Amino acid sequence: MYSYGGIKLILRKLGLKTTLCGYRYIVYGMMLLQKNPSYLDFITKTLYIDIAKKFQTSSVCVERAIRTAVSTIWKTNNLKLLYEISGNEFISRPTNKEFFGLFYRYLSKEEEEEVDAEKFLDDRDMDVYCDMTCDECGKTCEQLKKMYQEMIVLSVENRKLKEQLSRIMSYDAKIEKKEP
């Protein structure tokens, strides 16, 4: 599960100010999507209505505030992260539904990669740690075991960062080609 704080951090990195109503609506909407992805199927008839109930406003106000927030993200010229989230370049501003869908898939992908790292650790049998025995007592050294687990997590994170850097560099190259 992606966290409330993680969603807020990405939105701020996208250039969205916390003072916009749309910011709060998107955060809450993403939390709802986490619980029930079917909200994406009928965004106006379900998601906006549930957000409006939470914030005691109308679904029309929710839709407009989210549209303003997405437009703000589009205008900040911090499109690198938006391109990374979408996996391609936009010709025009994404719609609210497109934005929610892309953001949800991006966060789900990030979550999947974290689960893969945890699964990798869980799949490791204790036999892996047989070589990590204490010379004095002959037992498995918990500190070495913990350090080994941290090394695996860091190597997975390092791989993700390399992939992210590669995507950013390819987007930079595309942007430089387009600029006169």
Side-chain angles (χ1 to χ4, degrees):
M1 283 192 175
Y2 43 90
S3 70
Y4 178 74
I7 295 168
K8 290 169 64 175
L9 177 66
I10 293 171
L11 288 174
R12 285 195 306 272
K13 283 183 179 180
L14 283 169
L16 196 58
K17 303 248 187 270
T18 59
T19 54
L20 286 174
C21 289
Y23 172 87
R24 290 176 288 158
Y25 298 161
I26 291 172
V27 171
Y28 186 69
M30 291 308 300
M31 298 304 290
L32 289 174
L33 277 171
Q34 179 180 342
K35 292 177 185 170
N36 185 1
S38 67
Y39 274 113
L40 279 175
D41 297 332
F42 304 102
I43 194 168
T44 24
K45 300 204 182 279
T46 57
L47 186 64
Y48 292 162
I49 291 170
D50 287 350
I51 294 170
K53 286 178 186 174
K54 165 73 175 169
F55 292 95
Q56 298 175 348
T57 188
S58 71
S59 60
V60 173
C61 289
V62 168
E63 187 274 332
R64 185 176 49 238
I66 291 172
R67 188 175 59 236
T68 301
V70 172
S71 182
T72 300
I73 290 170
W74 183 253
K75 291 176 185 175
T76 59
N77 291 328
N78 186 10
L79 299 178
K80 287 182 186 178
L81 182 56
L82 185 59
Y83 291 156
E84 180 186 326
I85 288 171
S86 69
N88 62 15
E89 292 186 36
F90 286 104
I91 294 171
S92 62
R93 179 186 65 79
T95 64
N96 290 1
K97 185 174 184 170
E98 288 172 333
F99 180 77
F100 271 109
L102 294 169
F103 198 30
Y104 175 74
R105 281 189 290 282
Y106 176 76
L107 291 173
S108 296
K109 181 183 166 195
E110 291 287 313
E111 179 183 327
E112 222 173 78
E113 289 175 355
E114 288 175 17
V115 168
D116 286 346
E118 290 171 9
K119 183 179 179 216
F120 181 75
L121 289 175
D122 292 342
D123 289 347
R124 295 289 182 173
D125 199 40
M126 281 304 290
D127 295 339
V128 171
Y129 304 114
C130 288
D131 296 342
M132 297 181 202
T133 54
C134 180
D135 292 334
E136 294 177 17
C137 65
K139 294 181 181 177
T140 302
C141 181
E142 291 301 316
Q143 287 180 326
L144 285 174
K145 178 179 163 183
K146 190 174 182 178
M147 191 181 312
Y148 180 75
Q149 289 173 330
E150 288 174 5
M151 283 177 20
I152 292 171
V153 169
L154 288 173
S155 71
V156 170
E157 288 177 1
N158 188 29
R159 179 183 50 82
K160 287 194 302 188
L161 287 171
K162 283 181 181 178
E163 290 171 3
Q164 192 174 25
L165 180 62
S166 173
R167 286 192 301 257
I168 289 171
M169 290 173 68
S170 71
Y171 292 133
D172 283 345
K174 288 179 185 176
I175 291 170
E176 287 176 8
K177 286 180 184 177
K178 288 184 179 180
E179 291 178 358

